[in-house]
Amino acid sequence: MADTTTDLGAYVKRFTRASVLVVGDAMLDRYVYGEVERVSPEAPVPILTVMREVAMPGGAGNVVRNLIALDASAAFVSVVGDDQAGSDLTALIGGQERVEPWLLVQGGRTTTLKTRYIAQGQHLIRADREQTIPLPEKLTERLIRIALDAVAATSITLLSDYRKGVLSDAVATQIIAGAKSLGRRVVVDPKGRDYSRYRGADVVTPNRRELAEATGLSVDTEAAIVAAGQVLLARHEFGAVLVTRAEDGMSLITADEVRHYPGEAKDVFDVSGAGDTVVATLAAALAVDVPLFEAARLANIAGGIVVGKVGTAVARPADLLAAITPATGALRKVVTAAAAAEAAERWRARGYKVGFTNGCFDLLHPGHVHLLEQCRAMCDRLIVGINSDASVSRLKGPTRPAQGEAARAAVLASLASVDLVCLFEEDTPLDLLKLIKPDLLIKGADYTRETVVGAAEVESWGGTVALAELLPGHSTTATLARLRG
């Protein structure tokens, strides 16, 4: 019998060859984070003291973002307005690697903008600006022409419908017909009651509520979900219906078989964008000839990963591989920079103070242990950045490090005082600091605030810098000298 786990890991590594056309409604998601400490004297509403703002592609743009995170390539066809949100969104999409953007501009149109105000991990309010009227005839014809050209240049077509006006009946039906004529499969993330415009799609991915809306049937049980899915199959000649069921997992329904995939998330923290992750992973897998049932399994795992993260998150190949073949023991603490940043965001949202320290940590000695225990006492969660082997050699000379980066990371991860370990290739941890944005940056007392790399940056986002006392007589140089001598 084949090793399914090994097969799934091999499939994930194929994603670099995936080429996906995404057509749908682009949006701009803006997050405003701050703190609430008092109520306004003008009205019974909280006053949000803004600490930082983040903008990212939303809607079909988030599907593209997920594809890029999976190491796939994407062509993106959509429409934005001639406004600031449209300009910001175009820059965000165009700034991503492996994306060929075709964002058409409609004069006078309002680009969909969703602004979320968040304090102490809680959403206070969401403010939307949007225009959902259909596109003008000439713009529709141009969009269809560009999309059909892109169909031929990509491996699979994905329609991401948020009912904001881009995927009209004519657009959807003509793109699906064009894709089928070229032998390209079509995946659709649908919206609305009428799925006839998606007729002939290979896979549609409604959630449970959308399935009920499209069929008018109950979806309270697995059997009811299967019955409703089979109605959609027969009614619109779909190849498969993949029903997402939030924390309950997913159900894949074809004419010949039904499979239920249990929920993969250990903790459901935020479901924002999980559907985009699922459909992106499914399309990327199908684009590189992963069998449908295994592609759905990978999509289910990816969905479980992102609901355990904060905000509109993505799943990366490293996340999928870790979920498929999880590291055991201390090695689970050794993570990528992106994973460390997401963990820090999740911890902050739960009210934890996130600390960061860094070093080469070549031959761990009592001085290191003493420093790390002090660091952990100053915060709720401690992330340790360590220089890669190449970085250590540049800083310390060709005879260093005495231990390789994998060994150094594993030893650090084994300490109870350390919550995560993250390698960085640069000579300093500045880029890693900017990504993680710790609340507290800690170095040894042989530094001053002025000589700590990243001190100004940490303070710029409201963090602090602390110096920990050293254990006299203990240093890596002294330890190496004793060992060699």
Side-chain angles (χ1 to χ4, degrees):
M1 184 175 178
D3 185 341
T4 306
T5 297
T6 302
D7 290 344
L8 287 177
Y11 291 149
V12 171
K13 294 174 183 177
R14 290 187 194 176
F15 285 172
T16 55
R17 307 200 306 267
S19 176
V20 182
L21 167 62
V22 179
V23 186
D25 301 290
M27 309 178 194
L28 183 65
D29 284 339
R30 195 178 300 279
Y31 294 82
V32 181
Y33 295 93
E35 294 181 354
V36 172
E37 296 179 344
R38 60 195 180 98
V39 174
S40 172
E42 302 167 1
V45 295
I47 296 175
L48 178 69
T49 301
V50 176
M51 308 297 290
R52 62 191 180 93
E53 298 185 28
V54 177
M56 61 184 65
N62 188 48
V63 175
V64 172
R65 179 170 165 257
N66 273 271
L67 286 165
I68 301 312
L70 290 167
D71 290 339
S73 298
F76 185 30
V77 180
S78 189
V79 176
V80 297
D82 58 347
D83 51 13
Q84 186 60 51
S87 177
D88 293 345
L89 182 53
T90 299
L92 286 170
I93 295 293
Q96 297 182 94
E97 297 180 358
R98 303 187 306 281
V99 177
E100 182 180 358
W102 292 92
L103 299 183
L104 309 182
V105 179
Q106 180 185 353
R109 188 178 187 88
T110 299
T111 303
T112 299
L113 170 63
K114 297 181 179 180
T115 304
R116 297 165 176 87
Y117 296 88
I118 303 169
Q120 285 87 21
Q122 299 296 318
H123 283 240
L124 301 179
I125 192 171
R126 192 182 91 182
D128 290 2
R129 292 183 182 179
E130 63 182 14
Q131 192 173 23
T132 60
I133 60 174
L135 305 179
E137 183 178 351
K138 288 187 177 180
L139 187 61
T140 297
E141 292 172 354
R142 185 180 175 208
L143 184 144
I144 292 171
R145 185 170 62 253
I146 291 171
L148 291 177
D149 287 341
V151 166
T154 50
S155 304
I156 194 167
T157 297
L158 195 167
L159 304 185
S160 177
D161 194 353
Y162 276 83
R163 304 304 288 161
K164 305 301 181 186
V166 171
L167 283 174
S168 64
D169 291 356
V171 171
T173 55
Q174 290 190 50
I175 291 175
I176 291 172
K180 303 305 284 186
S181 70
L182 292 171
R184 302 292 193 269
R185 284 189 283 190
V186 179
V187 175
V188 179
D189 190 4
K191 287 291 185 295
R193 296 178 181 276
D194 183 7
Y195 283 18
S196 62
R197 61 184 173 279
Y198 311 130
R199 179 176 295 276
D202 292 274
V203 189
V204 293
T205 63
N207 60 35
R208 185 169 9 205
R209 178 185 55 78
E210 290 165 343
L211 179 63
E213 184 180 22
T215 61
L217 299 174
S218 168
V219 292
D220 292 339
T221 65
E222 282 190 352
I225 288 171
V226 171
Q230 289 171 336
V231 167
L232 282 187
L233 286 177
R235 186 182 293 172
H236 303 297
E237 300 178 5
F238 297 140
V241 176
L242 180 64
V243 184
T244 56
R245 299 185 287 125
E247 67 275 7
D248 295 327
M250 305 191 315
S251 296
L252 180 62
I253 303 150
T254 70
D256 302 318
E257 191 172 351
V258 173
R259 290 195 191 179
H260 299 291
Y261 303 86
E264 293 279 350
K266 294 179 181 177
D267 296 302
V268 178
F269 192 83
D270 193 335
V271 298
S272 301
D276 296 332
T277 301
V278 166
V279 73
T281 307
L282 179 72
L286 293 175
V288 290
D289 299 320
V290 176
L292 176 60
F293 291 104
E294 281 68 32
R297 187 177 171 196
L298 284 171
N300 188 48
I301 293 169
I305 290 167
V306 298
V307 298
K309 297 182 179 182
V310 176
T312 308
V314 295
R316 297 179 175 82
D319 297 322
L320 287 167
L321 291 171
I324 294 165
T325 54
T328 58
L331 292 180
R332 289 178 294 182
K333 296 182 182 179
V334 183
V335 299
T336 63
E342 288 167 352
E345 184 71 17
R346 183 165 64 248
W347 288 334
R348 276 192 294 270
R350 291 174 174 171
Y352 297 147
K353 185 177 185 179
V354 178
F356 178 92
T357 192
N358 68 279
C360 298
F361 295 101
D362 193 10
L363 290 183
L364 199 69
H365 54 71
H368 287 141
V369 175
H370 179 69
L371 172 67
L372 293 169
E373 286 177 346
Q374 286 186 82
C375 292
R376 187 59 169 79
M378 296 179 189
C379 59
D380 300 308
R381 296 290 185 271
L382 178 63
I383 299 174
V384 179
I386 63 170
N387 297 73
S388 68
D389 289 348
S391 177
V392 174
S393 292
R394 290 193 300 268
L395 295 171
K396 305 290 186 180
T399 62
R400 301 279 296 274
Q403 291 192 106
E405 58 194 35
R408 290 183 285 124
V411 172
L412 279 170
S414 69
L415 298 178
S417 56
V418 176
D419 292 288
L420 289 179
V421 178
C422 186
L423 283 163
F424 59 92
E425 296 290 338
E426 301 78 16
D427 290 349
T428 77
L430 187 57
D431 290 344
L432 184 58
L433 278 168
K434 291 178 179 178
L435 187 63
I436 294 174
K437 290 185 168 58
D439 305 299
L440 178 65
L441 172 60
I442 314 148
K443 292 293 288 184
D446 51 340
Y447 286 81
T448 64
R449 186 280 176 207
E450 289 71 28
T451 59
V452 174
V453 172
E457 285 76 10
V458 170
E459 290 172 348
S460 73
W461 57 69
T464 56
V465 178
L467 301 178
E469 67 176 31
L470 301 177
L471 191 64
H474 292 278
S475 69
T476 300
T477 302
T479 302
L480 284 170
R482 284 194 294 269
L483 290 173
R484 291 167 178 166

